[in-house]
Amino acid sequence: MLMMAGRGGATKLASSMMLVARCFSTATARGMLVKEAVHAKAMGCQGDVVRGNVGEFVVRGSVFGLRHGSTASFSEKDQQQNVRPVAEGGGVDKEEKEETVSYWGVPPSRVSKEDGTEWKWNCFRPWETYSADLSIDLTKHHAPVTSLDKMAYWTVKTLRWPTDLFFQRRYGCRAMMLETVAAVPGMVAGMLLHCRSLRRFEHSGGWIKALLEEAENERMHLMTFMEVSNPRWYERALVFTVQGVFFNAYFLGYLISPKFAHRMVGYLEEEAIHSYTEFLEEVDRGNIKNVPAPAIAIDYWRLPPNSTLRDVVVVVRADEAHHRDVNHFASDIHYQGHELKEAPAPLGYH
């Protein structure tokens, strides 16, 4: 009798262990995604995104599912609707290859434009788009007074000479090269401020986000010009070299003197404004074909559907003018003996 009881207990224990193992298997948890409405803030979205009264929208889709210890809370109907067929080896059936299935419950977001068409860009969302401020003064210039200002000014002027010699009138590829360099300072400065904030247990005054926004904006310039220019193999190799040198040089420069680093970027942006003005002059003369604007530019800057390359260059030049102001402002803060965190960062300054 004792032996039979022992066997019965062992059987029950084994059954319990199998149940626990089943409850925590990836195949079971993979289907536990709950349909729910997720609120966020955006502008001009419909379709899967339902508009609210004041720019509010609702993204409908699966939200993070919980890893339940039991399937008893789900009815058979829910499980049939939510569990997707899984092929051998944990893969997805051929019919389900369009979406990546994960038991972590991270849902694929579905966002639509105002006209109901699907939003096709994963690198940015509708609420990150904006209309460029074209009223900004493009002629502003910071006259170098101190020795550091003069060093920053002539460093940029020296770097412009080989660029003019190499690219000459090929402004599409010139813009591409310019943006691969211009997107570096914001990322380096934001990263260093981020690490400093962690070390000192203090806020950054919003400057981390502002500088990373600048880096992302410059990267979007690059993604745009890649649609209208086709860099050659040696130009791509040059990007590798220039970026490697500039990243490390700017990293060291910012560690030594942030006011010098920001001032140099301010002058770099002034040169960018000058280059894009020459770009526009070549387009107006007919030396560069005024092709239709890339789709990514139309969506990112909210341009009219019939916009052209000239319209894109105009808004990019306005962005560079704003970056000029931000970096000269940051340098002035350091020159006055303050830290960036003491002055509110110009977030969303476009």
Side-chain angles (χ1 to χ4, degrees), residues 123-124 179 183 214-224:
C123 52
F124 66 100
E179 298 303 344
E214 176 185 315
E216 174 63 12
N217 183 247
E218 298 284 12
R219 192 185 67 84
M220 289 302 299
H221 293 175
L222 174 63
M223 296 299 104
T224 298

Side-chain angles (χ1 to χ4, degrees), residues 320-336:
E320 305 295 3
H322 287 85
H323 299 328
R324 171 203 63 193
D325 294 352
V326 170
N327 281 278
H328 280 315
F329 173 52
S331 184
D332 288 344
I333 293 172
H334 284 292
Y335 266 107
Q336 294 169 18

Side-chain angles (χ1 to χ4, degrees), residues 225 276-277 279-280 283 308-318:
F225 284 114
Y276 283 120
T277 299
F279 196 160
L280 288 172
V283 172
T308 62
L309 174 62
R310 190 184 194 284
D311 300 316
V312 174
V313 176
V314 168
V315 295
V316 169
R317 183 177 62 172

Side-chain angles (χ1 to χ4, degrees), residues 224-245:
T224 298
F225 284 114
M226 286 296 294
E227 298 290 326
V228 296
S229 63
N230 187 22
R232 299 163 185 171
W233 69 266
Y234 56 84
E235 290 171 338
R236 291 177 180 270
L238 184 63
V239 168
F240 272 88
T241 305
V242 172
Q243 189 183 80
V245 173

